[in-house]
Amino acid sequence: MSLRVPPPILLLLSILGMYLLSRFYPVTTFDFDGKSLLISMLCFIGVIPGFTAIIAFAKANTTIDPRYPQKTSRLVTTGIYRFTRNPMYLGLVFFLFAAAFYFSALSCFVVVPVFIWVMNNFQIEPEEAVLLAMFGEDYQHYCQTVRRWC
């Protein structure tokens, strides 16, 4: 695996980056009515895919640790995994959007595509290579029918 930093830690580092951008290079700041409600909704929406993914992994009795995909005992394609191959990472993106609105600086939104790029290239692609080697045609068919992010 290329990424040794657990995705939740990468999320926290990204939020720290957003904070630093908002503090030292905010570009444009903003505020609007309903911002707190929007932030709360984004956080709530972010919890849903991650929580349902953890439940699906628990039901399948397989690992949720993305750093060690070789410890996966079963290919999970039910529940939320019928709609997205990476629901936990999708949930993290919602938290990043919430953080960007919280810090109220346009520059913070730059972190979101950077996070997605890092996740795609250093977490998801190596993870998928391991799963393809483990589950072969079943995983290949799954990848052809279900998108990565949504």
Side-chain angles (χ1 to χ4, degrees), residues 1-149:
M1 291 288 296
S2 299
L3 183 66
R4 295 288 181 217
V5 178
I9 300 299
L10 187 59
L11 171 73
L12 293 176
L13 291 172
S14 298
I15 291 172
L16 174 63
M18 286 180 169
Y19 167 75
L20 294 172
L21 283 170
S22 71
R23 180 115 169 124
F24 300 109
Y25 195 69
V27 180
T28 300
T29 58
F30 58 85
D31 198 13
F32 56 90
D33 291 337
K35 185 176 83 168
S36 294
L37 179 62
L38 176 62
I39 292 167
S40 298
M41 287 174 48
L42 288 169
C43 288
F44 178 74
I45 292 168
V47 167
I48 294 170
F51 185 70
T52 56
I54 290 169
I55 290 171
F57 275 38
K59 284 182 180 178
N61 198 27
T62 191
T63 183
I64 64 166
D65 192 340
R67 295 172 301 155
Y68 307 105
Q70 65 276 10
K71 292 184 179 181
T72 302
S73 59
R74 291 191 179 100
L75 180 61
V76 179
T77 60
T78 59
I80 194 160
Y81 286 93
R82 291 177 297 153
F83 308 106
T84 174
R85 296 196 315 253
N86 302 104
M88 290 184 225
Y89 306 149
L90 181 62
L92 297 181
V93 169
F94 277 98
F95 284 112
L96 284 179
F97 276 115
F101 281 107
Y102 176 80
F103 292 124
S104 302
L106 195 58
S107 56
C108 293
F109 288 93
V110 166
V111 174
V112 177
V114 172
F115 177 85
I116 292 170
W117 181 84
V118 168
M119 291 303 294
N120 275 333
N121 290 286
F122 298 103
Q123 181 65 44
I124 295 172
E125 286 182 5
E127 204 175 273
E128 288 184 341
V130 171
L131 294 174
L132 182 61
M134 290 177 68
F135 298 107
E137 286 184 26
D138 289 339
Y139 188 71
Q140 187 173 16
H141 174 70
Y142 175 65
C143 288
Q144 291 170 346
T145 56
V146 178
R147 296 172 59 151
R148 266 189 190 163
W149 288 94

